[in-house]
Amino acid sequence: MLNGKGQIELARERLVKAVNQVLGVVRRNGRSRKVGLALVLTVLVGGRASVRNAAETFGLDYANLLEALGELDGTWRDYLEVLSGLVKGQVAVIIDDTVDHKEYSRGRDVSPHGNYWIYCHAHGRFERGVQLLTVA
């Protein structure tokens, strides 16, 4: 029987393998790593995006993508179950994906702080976006 640390390491390894499997399906079909990471994040945050629509949108093999995302979903749930057994007390996970309207933050196309471009419907143009993940 594995101890708590051994269980979390095993669950983490399985999760990493499942993420790499999704990235492999995407990369084999000539799509960028960013597309793969977007699909991975959709599963991790509990998104309900259609696998068929994603496969058609990005020109991916539906059966392979469905299998890879299903495996990722299962390993993610297993990982969270192992974590929940180790963590005592309440945990809050906050994911913020927002537009930064500050003019001075648009100085560079690539930011070392995780910024990216996102379409702002309020201004009708692409603007700097920021993703923030907080776990407490």
Side-chain angles (χ1 to χ4, degrees):
M1 183 80 183
L2 294 173
N3 64 11
K5 187 174 182 179
Q7 287 178 327
I8 194 71
E9 282 301 313
L10 180 62
R12 187 189 66 77
E13 288 173 12
R14 290 182 55 222
L15 180 62
V16 168
K17 182 179 176 185
V19 168
N20 286 332
Q21 183 179 357
V22 172
L23 294 177
V25 168
V26 171
R27 296 297 298 191
R28 280 192 301 272
N29 285 279
R31 297 295 179 216
S32 72
R33 192 167 192 266
K34 287 182 180 182
V35 169
L37 291 175
L39 292 171
V40 166
L41 286 174
T42 299
V43 171
L44 298 185
V45 298
R48 298 290 177 217
S50 165
V51 175
R52 183 166 303 282
N53 286 343
E56 290 174 5
T57 300
F58 299 113
L60 304 171
D61 181 71
Y62 172 73
N64 288 341
L65 184 62
L66 182 64
E67 180 181 348
L69 291 177
E71 178 69 20
L72 175 61
D73 185 55
T75 57
W76 177 240
R77 290 175 193 275
D78 292 346
Y79 184 71
L80 291 177
E81 186 176 320
V82 170
L83 278 179
S84 69
L86 298 175
V87 175
K88 306 299 181 217
Q90 295 183 350
V91 176
V93 177
I94 303 164
I95 299 171
D96 180 27
D97 185 7
T98 188
V99 174
D100 186 356
H101 293 290
K102 299 175 192 137
E103 293 293 330
Y104 57 83
S105 72
R106 294 194 197 114
R108 299 170 63 192
D109 287 338
V110 178
S111 168
H113 306 294
N115 294 346
Y116 63 97
W117 289 99
I118 188 171
Y119 187 77
C120 174
H121 293 283
H123 291 115
R125 64 182 181 219
F126 283 93
E127 296 187 358
R128 179 80 55 206
V130 177
Q131 281 188 328
L132 176 65
L133 172 65
T134 304
V135 179

